Amino acid sequence: MNKIIIVLFLFLSVLEVNGQNASIDSAKNSENIQFKYKSLIIPSLLIGYGVVGLTSPTLKDINTSAKNDFRGYDDKKLNIDDFSQYSPFLSVYALNAVGIQGKNNFKDRTIVLGTAYIIMGGSVSILKKTTKVTRPDGSSSTSFPSGHTATAFMGAEFLYQEYKDVSVWYGITGYMVAAGTGLFRIYNEKHWLTDVVTGAGIGILSTKIAYWIHPLIKKAIFKEKDNTNGIVMPFYNGRACGLGFSMTF
């Protein structure tokens, strides 16, 4: 049963890319803000699954089964998820750097990414502090939801939105990396399946909201300034990972 749930999680991740079909207008069309509520179905289902799993004995049993199946008899942990979580959104800047232009310029896409990161990070932090779910390895009580997975899926949706008009395969690749990040969190015994599924939903939803409200934020806070430069980089100090970016106007 748990294998079916995991396959469904991967399927929904790819389906999210194929089913959106330009649900959110770009900043280039900021005067015509549109949002298709059907695009909320998949992230809402993912979040709902995790929330139900907080109290459902059946889903808790699936969590345990998934943990056992992933770990098996191998005690070796792979920390690739500490870095792969950033790959999807960094790909947007890398593609632009080599001349493959996406939907928005540096300023607009960075505002969108920053907004999505704030929404995602705030949501994850609040839920971790309020739910206090113990991690599979017992290291802390901040298991629900998975911040790594939320970051990865936030980036995957960001990559998709920026490059869906160039090729849908950019988005599919981003979502595959994000799904792999989530599965590594389970393998490394840092999160339960419900943590990962919820993190995926939060990440996707955060980026959708960021694009939705971007025209309002740009108009109210950043105005119309064209002379904008900046840099976005992840950091890792041996103990913790994070995201940092700076922008000059």
Side-chain angles (χ1 to χ4, degrees):
M1 179 64 181
N2 58 292
K3 293 181 180 179
I4 296 176
I5 296 295
I6 293 171
V7 170
L8 180 61
F9 167 60
L10 294 170
F11 174 73
L12 287 174
S13 298
V14 176
L15 183 64
E16 172 66 19
V17 174
N18 293 325
Q20 291 184 68
N21 192 24
S23 60
I24 306 175
D25 278 2
S26 74
K28 297 176 183 177
N29 299 311
S30 60
E31 297 301 321
N32 182 24
I33 303 173
Q34 296 181 359
F35 191 85
K36 293 185 178 180
Y37 290 93
K38 289 183 179 180
S39 65
L40 297 180
I41 293 176
I42 291 178
S44 296
L45 287 174
L46 294 173
I47 295 171
Y49 176 88
V51 171
V52 172
L54 290 173
T55 57
S56 169
T58 299
L59 296 188
K60 287 183 178 181
D61 287 343
I62 293 175
N63 278 344
T64 301
S65 181
K67 170 190 171 182
N68 294 336
D69 283 353
F70 267 80
R71 291 303 299 166
Y73 297 99
D74 186 3
D75 293 329
K76 183 178 180 180
K77 294 187 178 182
L78 302 173
N79 296 324
I80 188 173
D81 45 313
D82 286 336
F83 305 98
S84 64
Q85 61 175 318
Y86 301 114
S87 297
F89 76 75
L90 286 178
S91 297
V92 173
Y93 293 90
L95 288 168
N96 273 268
V98 299
I100 305 175
Q101 298 301 313
K103 178 188 296 183
N104 293 307
N105 58 33
F106 179 89
K107 174 183 176 180
D108 287 328
R109 67 175 178 266
T110 303
I111 293 172
V112 169
L113 176 61
T115 303
Y117 203 90
I118 290 171
I119 295 171
M120 179 276 298
S123 301
V124 168
S125 179
I126 291 172
L127 287 171
K128 283 181 178 293
K129 291 178 180 179
T130 55
T131 57
K132 297 181 180 180
V133 176
T134 302
R135 293 182 186 273
D137 63 0
S139 60
S140 72
S141 58
T142 57
S143 188
F144 183 87
S146 169
H148 282 62
T149 309
T151 300
F153 275 86
M154 176 201 72
E157 176 67 12
F158 178 57
L159 176 61
Y160 168 73
Q161 290 294 336
E162 288 296 312
Y163 282 94
K164 63 185 178 183
D165 294 331
V166 179
S167 173
V168 71
W169 286 103
Y170 289 113
I172 290 176
T173 301
Y175 267 92
M176 290 178 66
V177 171
T181 299
L183 296 180
F184 269 113
R185 297 305 285 169
I186 299 174
Y187 175 83
N188 288 327
E189 295 187 313
K190 290 299 181 181
H191 287 288
W192 305 103
L193 177 60
T194 45
D195 304 336
V196 167
V197 172
T198 303
I202 291 174
I204 295 169
L205 186 59
S206 296
T207 301
K208 288 182 180 296
I209 293 173
Y211 273 97
W212 188 19
I213 66 176
H214 172 64
L216 302 176
I217 292 178
K218 183 179 178 182
K219 183 177 180 180
I221 301 176
F222 293 92
K223 309 298 181 185
E224 291 294 335
K225 297 180 180 179
D226 296 325
N227 187 22
T228 306
N229 295 289
I231 186 170
V232 179
M233 288 291 291
F235 68 83
Y236 178 67
N237 62 11
R239 292 177 297 176
C241 298
L243 168 71
F245 69 88
S246 63
M247 183 183 294
T248 58
F249 303 94

